[in-house]
Amino acid sequence: GAVVSQHPSWVICKSGTSVKIECRSLDFQATTMFWYRQFPKQSLMLMATSNEGSKATYEQGVEKDKFLINHASLTLSTLTVTSAHPEDSSFYICSAGGSLGGPYTDTQYFGPGTRLTVL
Amino acid sequence: DAKTTQPPSMDCAEGRAANLPCNHSTISGNEYVYWYRQIHSQGPQYIIHGLKNNETNEMASLIITEDRKSSTLILPHATLRDTAVYYCIVRSMDTGRRALTFGSGTRLQVQP
């Protein structure tokens, strides 16, 4: 199946700093990428949908100025958590789908996740 | 997307088949059944999907009832590495353009 990578796999930062998380589709082109957040013992919750070359669409309750998303190419989307606070500590997961005529149009593939801890 | 119902947890002995059920009684004609799993502290992993015919791949088999109102994911020889939360998701074909909605899933514990 298709491979999606995330970097870093974990990060610890101080309150008030910004953290950037990268999501890459390694062997296919992803016109759409998604960012999810998962708190302990809960299911994945969609934060935003990222389309290549256009502005991301955020879910209700997700602050777009706090969670900056950039989808600059068909293989890379980034999520920047600005002015992070302890309540932003969570497991952030991206997924990618919607390739351009390749073999993966039916399915979304997920990255391994990034665990963010804000002190 | 049609709503799905899964048991919250199941146990299975190592080496035996794990049969995970999913009810989706309101599924419509153009909706597929997808299965993903999430091993602890990892991103979800795609397993298999199907429309109405039974499907098999190297990971699992998917059995969909004739009326399509329920399905079963079968892991033929469960191993300890199969311990995970399994999600059954029903959605239409254009998955690449819309996010997946995750329910609570079934927590499968494979026992040695």
Side-chain angles (χ1 to χ4, degrees):
Chain A
V3 178
V4 176
S5 70
Q6 276 184 246
H7 179 80
S9 55
W10 60 269
V11 57
I12 301 173
C13 70
K14 293 182 178 180
S15 186
T17 61
S18 295
V19 174
K20 180 185 282 188
I21 302 170
E22 291 186 349
C23 176
R24 293 181 185 273
S25 57
L26 298 185
D27 52 0
F28 70 103
Q29 293 180 320
T31 53
T32 307
M33 288 184 170
F34 306 90
W35 288 95
Y36 297 81
R37 181 166 54 181
Q38 185 175 34
F39 292 106
K41 297 185 189 284
Q42 295 185 21
S43 193
L44 282 77
M45 294 297 294
L46 178 68
M47 298 176 65
T49 300
S50 166
N51 291 295
E52 186 263 338
S54 62
K55 289 184 178 180
T57 303
Y58 292 81
E59 294 300 296
Q60 192 171 10
V62 177
E63 300 175 56
K64 62 180 181 180
D65 294 330
K66 181 172 183 62
F67 298 98
L68 302 179
I69 292 172
N70 184 276
H71 192 164
S73 75
L74 289 172
T75 59
L76 173 65
S77 176
T78 59
L79 168 68
T80 302
V81 183
T82 63
S83 186
H85 292 285
E87 57 266 29
D88 299 323
S89 297
S90 188
F91 192 49
Y92 292 86
I93 308 167
C94 71
S95 72
S99 65
L100 300 177
Y104 308 115
T105 53
D106 297 356
T107 302
Q108 286 182 30
Y109 294 92
F110 287 79
T114 297
R115 186 160 302 282
L116 170 64
T117 302
V118 185
L119 302 177
Chain B
D1 300 332
K3 180 177 164 54
T4 62
T5 304
Q6 299 177 252
S9 63
M10 292 182 64
D11 285 345
C12 174
E14 189 177 19
R16 305 295 294 268
N19 298 289
L20 293 93
C22 180
N23 285 319
H24 32 78
S25 58
T26 61
I27 191 170
S28 61
N30 67 340
E31 289 183 316
Y32 286 69
V33 180
Y34 283 79
W35 283 84
Y36 285 78
R37 72 180 181 184
Q38 186 177 25
I39 296 169
H40 183 62
S41 294
Q42 296 183 25
Q45 178 188 23
Y46 165 77
I47 302 174
I48 198 167
H49 75 280
L51 182 62
K52 54 184 178 181
N53 297 322
N54 297 338
E55 302 287 344
T56 296
N57 63 20
E58 65 277 5
M59 289 184 68
S61 294
L62 174 61
I63 308 298
I64 303 174
T65 57
E66 193 168 342
D67 63 7
R68 302 186 69 236
K69 293 185 177 181
S70 65
S71 60
T72 301
L73 178 74
I74 301 172
L75 307 178
H77 306 286
T79 70
L80 298 178
R81 286 193 298 265
D82 293 320
T83 292
V85 179
Y86 287 77
Y87 296 98
C88 169
I89 299 170
V90 170
R91 58 175 296 126
S92 56
M93 184 74 171
D94 59 339
T95 59
R97 313 216 183 282
R98 291 190 297 119
L100 296 173
T101 301
F102 287 82
S104 303
T106 295
R107 184 172 298 277
L108 175 69
Q109 180 70 51
V110 180
Q111 306 283 359

